[in-house]
């Protein structure tokens, strides 16, 4: 974790003082985090993960993946979750239906109707 916090802080051209202000801790505490003399609380880890746009696991050195894929909570994410549950045949039918919808909308935009 020593190198990750320092590395991320330096990538953002942040001083220890600035990071300490963002986290609501002293500069000495940030220094201790970077030297692994003291470990951040869960709240501090969450704040750093949001500030640096990375996972807590990456900050802790438990993963080399900075930004894991987050589950989608928008309409596209819902659609993706549904398609994962379909059989191959159902998925092919769904694709064909969606293509038909796209084809119809393209015709309607050009002023034609079926």
């Amino acid at each position: 974790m020593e190198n990750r916090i320092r590395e991320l802080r330096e990538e953002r051209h942040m001083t220890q003082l600035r990071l300490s202000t963002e986290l609501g801790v002293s500069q000495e505490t940030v220094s201790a985090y970077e030297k692994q003399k003291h470990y951040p609380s869960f709240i501090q880890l969450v704040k750093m993960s949001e500030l640096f746009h990375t996972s807590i696991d990456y900050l802790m050195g438990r993963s080399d993946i900075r930004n894991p894929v987050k589950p989608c909570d928008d309409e596209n994410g819902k659609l993706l979750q549904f398609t994962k549950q379909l059989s191959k045949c159902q998925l092919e039918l769904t694709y064909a239906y969606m293509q038909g919808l796209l084809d119809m909308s393209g015709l309607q935009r050009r002023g034609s109707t079926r």
Side-chain angles (χ1 to χ4, degrees), residues 16 20 25-34 38:
Q16 285 183 346
S20 70
V25 299
S26 70
Q27 180 180 353
E28 291 79 14
T29 299
V30 170
S31 177
Y33 293 164
E34 291 182 358
H38 182 68

Side-chain angles (χ1 to χ4, degrees), residues 67-78:
N67 301 310
V69 176
K70 295 180 183 176
C72 298
D73 57 354
D74 61 357
E75 291 302 315
N76 291 329
K78 289 179 189 176

Side-chain angles (χ1 to χ4, degrees), residues 30-80:
V30 170
S31 177
Y33 293 164
E34 291 182 358
K35 294 178 182 175
Q36 292 185 321
K37 291 182 179 178
H38 182 68
Y39 293 97
S41 69
F42 180 73
I43 292 170
Q44 300 308 319
L45 287 169
V46 170
K47 286 180 182 180
M48 281 190 279
S49 73
E50 290 172 352
L51 181 66
F52 296 131
H53 305 287
T54 189
S55 70
I56 292 173
D57 282 340
Y58 182 80
L59 283 170
M60 300 284 297
R62 297 183 59 189
S63 171
D64 290 330
I65 301 171
R66 280 189 182 203
N67 301 310
V69 176
K70 295 180 183 176
C72 298
D73 57 354
D74 61 357
E75 291 302 315
N76 291 329
K78 289 179 189 176
L79 185 59
L80 180 61

Side-chain angles (χ1 to χ4, degrees), residues 3-16:
N3 295 332
R4 296 269 167 93
I5 293 174
R6 177 179 289 132
E7 171 189 315
L8 291 165
R9 178 180 60 77
E10 289 176 350
E11 279 178 13
R12 296 209 184 260
H13 307 288
M14 292 178 85
T15 62
Q16 285 183 346

